[in-house]
Amino acid sequence: LLMPGPVLQTAIQPVWVQDLADAIALDVRDGASQGPGLHRLQAVGETALPMGEFIASLRRQLGHGPAWQCPMPGWMVQASAWLGDQVEASPWCHETLGMLGTPNTGDVSALRARLGRALLPLDQFVDKAWRQG
């Protein structure tokens, strides 16, 4: 698994898609009775971990061994981002690198309270996806 170092190492808090969908449905339902307006809620899961560990967790859940993880050399990351900057519609550029290198974590308590229940634990994501899919 060859990825930019900041992407492998940046902390994220994955949230199960159904937990997110349920929170949005509640907001839509309750928003109709409260009138127009914006509602902000941190959509984060229970576990904060680096992206590389998240990928490793998904592989374990699928019964695979750990992937060999290797951060791309810095010069390669910068050169590829520069090339992406030159292509107008490229999804990979310095802006994307900066975004993926910024921790994406928050306080899960508001989402838990909004749902009125615990969120699906990370170690159950794959099992739940196969049972529902």
Side-chain angles (χ1 to χ4, degrees), residues 33-115:
S33 64
Q34 297 172 2
L38 295 175
H39 177 75
R40 290 181 56 183
L41 184 68
Q42 292 185 17
V44 295
E46 297 282 353
T47 306
L49 70 169
M51 177 68 82
E53 288 183 31
F54 175 55
I55 293 168
S57 172
L58 295 175
R59 288 184 56 85
R60 272 191 306 279
Q61 292 175 56
L62 288 166
H64 300 301
W68 177 68
Q69 294 186 13
C70 180
M72 290 172 66
W75 68 267
M76 188 183 296
V77 172
Q78 292 301 321
S80 68
W82 180 85
L83 287 170
D85 290 340
Q86 308 313 304
V87 179
E88 188 174 322
S90 174
W92 180 249
C93 58
H94 277 95
E95 186 175 352
T96 305
L97 177 60
M99 179 185 69
L100 292 173
T102 302
N104 190 3
T105 59
D107 183 3
V108 70
S109 62
L111 182 57
R112 233 188 273 126
R114 181 73 179 122
L115 293 173

Side-chain angles (χ1 to χ4, degrees), residues 16 61-62 124-133:
W16 175 242
Q61 292 175 56
L62 288 166
Q124 296 177 22
F125 279 20
V126 170
D127 183 51
K128 187 80 166 173
W130 290 137
R131 280 190 312 211
Q132 289 184 351

